[in-house]
Amino acid sequence: MKDASKYKALSIKEFTKAAEIYDSDRAGIYEICKDDYPPILEELKKGKFEDLLDVGCGTGPMIELLASEFPDKRYTGLDLTPRMIEVANAKGIENASFIVGDAEDLPFDNASFDTVICANSFHHYPNPHLFFDEVARVLRPGGKLVLRDYTAPAPILWLMNHTEMPLANLAGHGDVRAYTLDEVRAFCLSSGLVPVTLESQKKFRLHLVARKPSAVTQEMGGASE
């Protein structure tokens, strides 16, 4: 995407400031991020996992919650903003590591995780297809992606993308674009991930659960949940 570096620079600048209030009761516009934590937690309770990657982890609140619920699992948080990672690391969460990195170029080996989560970060990615490709690469066969972000009916989505987000850019925010369910489904399929749940929910939220086919289903030429 044109100007990808511009959007990423805006995001780093925005979230360097946000890191100081992100976990507080003064989080302002970032309060909406907290609405995504319970649905992700409930989704993860449905199955087993051992190694989880949180892309766009911020100061690590989601991993902090998960570590209290599943203390025997291993967690990695990744964020583009160094200050966010500094704050996350300072929490000293057991079995968790936090690193600076780009969601469109994940610094991990193939098949490193069985679960990837991404909460309210996806609309900051200039090249969304690269994110999906990278998630598919770092997931193990049978692994799961849980993603929550913005979506809306077509007229509202048009206003978000052509009015709200450009104004946010002028105000120093790194928002890029929100997507329809069909667009997200296409991202999944082009990367080899299989959508299991893809729906719009209240408060203009998109909820996606997608799986990387296991070796067995790949051999059979199909996919399963």
Side-chain angles (χ1 to χ4, degrees):
M1 181 183 201
K2 184 180 179 181
D3 295 332
S5 59
K6 179 194 78 173
Y7 285 112
K8 293 180 184 183
L10 282 171
S11 287
I12 292 171
K13 184 177 180 179
E14 172 189 355
F15 288 104
T16 297
K17 296 178 181 178
E20 310 309 320
I21 61 169
Y22 203 75
D23 291 321
S24 73
D25 57 3
R26 300 177 292 103
I29 62 172
Y30 307 109
E31 284 288 333
I32 192 174
C33 300
K34 300 174 183 178
D35 293 341
D36 289 326
Y37 304 161
I40 292 175
L41 176 60
E42 289 306 307
E43 191 63 50
L44 295 179
K45 286 180 177 178
K46 296 178 182 179
K48 297 180 180 179
F49 70 92
E50 296 297 328
D51 299 287
L52 179 143
L53 170 65
D54 183 356
V55 180
C57 67
T59 57
M62 189 71 228
I63 286 180
E64 194 171 13
L65 173 62
L66 293 174
S68 67
E69 292 280 341
F70 310 104
D72 59 332
K73 309 306 180 184
R74 294 178 292 272
Y75 303 97
T76 302
L78 176 138
D79 201 278
L80 188 65
T81 303
R83 181 58 185 153
M84 285 288 199
I85 295 302
E86 289 175 5
V87 175
N89 275 319
K91 294 179 176 180
I93 303 172
E94 193 168 352
N95 296 330
S97 60
F98 295 92
I99 66 170
V100 177
D102 191 328
E104 298 175 358
D105 185 17
L106 297 175
F108 308 108
D109 293 336
N110 296 349
S112 292
F113 304 95
D114 51 40
T115 303
V116 175
I117 64 174
C118 183
N120 211 47
S121 180
F122 181 60
H123 64 280
H124 289 282
Y125 305 162
N127 301 290
H129 61 287
L130 295 182
F131 164 75
F132 274 91
D133 288 347
E134 284 292 273
V135 168
R137 181 182 65 79
V138 303
L139 275 176
R140 296 172 187 143
K144 177 166 67 174
L145 165 67
V146 183
L147 182 148
R148 289 182 63 83
D149 210 274
Y150 296 112
T151 193
I156 297 174
L157 196 64
W158 190 94
L159 288 173
M160 290 172 65
N161 288 330
H162 293 85
T163 302
E164 182 180 339
M165 292 197 180
L167 288 174
N169 296 154
L170 291 175
H173 297 266
D175 306 68
V176 178
R177 190 182 168 198
Y179 299 91
T180 66
L181 298 185
D182 285 343
E183 286 173 319
V184 171
R185 182 179 291 107
F187 290 140
C188 284
L189 297 177
S190 68
S191 69
L193 297 177
V194 179
V196 176
T197 302
L198 177 57
E199 60 189 20
S200 58
Q201 299 181 348
K202 61 182 181 179
K203 296 185 179 181
F204 302 126
R205 306 310 291 159
L206 178 151
H207 184 82
L208 167 70
V209 180
R211 288 208 178 263
K212 181 174 180 175
S214 66
V216 173
T217 56
Q218 286 177 325
E219 289 175 2
M220 294 173 62
S224 66
E225 296 187 11

